[in-house]
Amino acid sequence: MAPALSERVTVTMPAELVAGIDRVERNRSRFIAEAVRHELRRRQRQELLRSLDEPHPDSLTTAELGLEDWSQGLPAGDLNLLDPSAGVPVQWSGEQGWQEPDA
C-alpha cells in the first residue's frame, strides 16, 4: 500500500486547546489528523442516519414500486445490474424507516 500523500495546512486554535493536545500527544499533526478522521466518520454516520429517517424521494418511489418491478423499467442492457434475490427484503415505513417485512 502506497503511503498517503500529506498536505501542509495552517489552522488557528485557542492556546488552551493546543496546550491540551500537547499534554496528551507529542505529535500534534497525528493527533489532529486522527481527530479529524474521527469527526468525519461521525458526520458520515450522522448523515446516513438522517438519510434513513428522511429518504430521497426517488428512494420512496422505488420502495413503493418494489425492487423487482422497478428493475423491469431498466434499459434492456442494464438488467444484469440487479439481482433482486441477492438481498434482504425491506419495506419503508414512515414511522419506523426501512424494516424487514413481517413474515
Side-chain angles (χ1 to χ4, degrees), residues 16 18-25:
E16 68 271 8
V18 175
I21 293 169
D22 290 345
R23 279 194 296 276
V24 298
E25 175 64 53

Side-chain angles (χ1 to χ4, degrees), residues 36 60-61 64 78 91 98:
V36 169
L60 292 176
T61 301
E64 289 168 2
D78 291 343
Q91 63 188 29
W98 292 105

Side-chain angles (χ1 to χ4, degrees), residues 68-87:
E68 197 159 340
D69 288 342
W70 173 82
S71 70
Q72 299 306 313
L74 292 173
D78 291 343
L79 292 177
N80 63 345
L81 295 177
L82 181 68
D83 180 1
S85 66

Side-chain angles (χ1 to χ4, degrees), residues 4 10-12 34 40-41 46 57 61 69 72 78 80 87 94 96:
T10 302
V11 297
T12 303
E34 288 174 7
L40 288 172
R41 284 191 303 270
Q46 184 179 29
T61 301
D69 288 342
Q72 299 306 313
D78 291 343
N80 63 345
Q96 298 177 336

